[in-house]
């Protein structure tokens, strides 16, 4: 599909989350998708691999897996597609001539009987939206044949013991869909508990790097001073590669 006037008009009518490059144009998403991609350490090649992208939203990472040669990609989501529709995903899929298969399903309904299993499962930016995080990891583990990649918000990082912070209401970034912020050790231990013998922390970004944004939010009244200090020293983002046992 050419990036002509109609293409630009249709694209600008969509409320984008991801920044997806299509025909020399990038969709105007609010998420810094290209930076997130660098932190994930995805395999350079997905040649011959089946991939499940859980919480796909506009589908950037599904299309990226396909671009890297995946033999089959399923993009799964529920919440955002139900609330806001699937316009971004559908537009990008058509424009890219993609074969990625969208499936609307809740994380807790994931099971091999309904979905089959996949060589690689992506669980990016979803764990902290889960009311029952360990159960959610159990579900995604049940359909992972080789590698599960988890990217998540981290909290309580200054605690050594595995811990999670509970966010009642909209305490975390004024978003009531955020439930739990685990620390690194909690994510590693939960992944081990759900059956992965090998778990690697492949990247960590402390929120200290977002100090300026923290001050700005505080100044704007979006967050209080003490929670800003807490967030800066305890929170961050991390990516984990969990490898299944070799059959
Ligand atoms: C922060 S976005 C992350 C989007 C994308 N994976 C990324 O990393 O850019 C969280 C996504 O998880 C989805 N999600 C949240 N709860 C879900 C659930 N219970 N079942 C399926 N998807 C869910 C949301 O709809 C949304 O698309």
């Amino acid at each position: 599909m050419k990036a002509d006037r109609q293409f630009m008009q249709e694209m600008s009518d969509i409320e984008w989350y991801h920044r997806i490059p299509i025909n020399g144009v990038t969709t105007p998403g609010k998420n810094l998708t290209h930076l997130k991609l660098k932190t994930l350490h995805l395999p350079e090649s997905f040649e011959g691999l089946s991939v499940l992208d859980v919480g796909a939203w506009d589908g950037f990472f599904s299309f990226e897996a396909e671009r890297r040669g995946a033999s089959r990609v399923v993009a799964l989501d529920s919440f955002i597609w139900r609330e806001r529709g699937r316009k971004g995903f559908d537009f990008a899929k058509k424009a890219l001539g993609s074969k990625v298969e969208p499936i609307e399903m809740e994380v807790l309904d994931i099971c091999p009987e309904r979905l089959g299993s996949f060589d690689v499962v992506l669980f990016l930016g979803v764990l902290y939206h889960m009311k029952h995080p360990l159960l959610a990891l159990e579900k995604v583990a049940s359909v992972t044949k080789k590698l599960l990649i988890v990217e998540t918000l981290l909290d309580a990082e200054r605690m050594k013991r595995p811990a999670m912070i509970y966010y009642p209401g909209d305490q975390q970034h004024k978003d009531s869909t955020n439930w739990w912020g685990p620390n690194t050790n909690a994510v590693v231990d939960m992944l081990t508990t759900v059956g992965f013998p090998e778990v690697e922390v492949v990247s960590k970004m402390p929120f200290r790097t977002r100090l300026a944004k923290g001050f700005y939010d505080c100044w704007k009244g979006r967050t209080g001073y003490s929670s800003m200090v807490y967030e800066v020293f305890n929170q961050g983002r991390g990516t984990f590669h969990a490898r299944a046992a070799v059959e």
Side-chain angles (χ1 to χ4, degrees), residues 102-117:
I103 291 186
E104 195 169 326
M105 189 184 279
E106 282 292 313
V107 169
L108 294 189
D109 290 333
I110 291 176
C111 60
E113 294 74 22
R114 292 184 69 177
L115 272 186
S117 51

Side-chain angles (χ1 to χ4, degrees), residues 30-56:
K30 63 176 182 184
N31 181 259
L32 301 176
T33 327
H34 54 297
L35 297 183
K36 182 166 181 173
L37 177 63
K38 287 189 186 153
T39 68
L40 302 179
H41 298 269
L42 295 182
E44 278 308 314
S45 167
F46 279 85
E47 208 62 49
L49 299 174
S50 55
V51 177
L52 173 67
D53 180 12
V54 179

Side-chain angles (χ1 to χ4, degrees), residues 17-18 36 55 57 61 77-80 105-107 124-125:
Y17 180 67
H18 284 152
K36 182 166 181 173
W57 202 325
F61 297 102
D77 210 304
S78 66
F79 179 74
I80 212 76
M105 189 184 279
E106 282 292 313
V107 169
L124 315 174

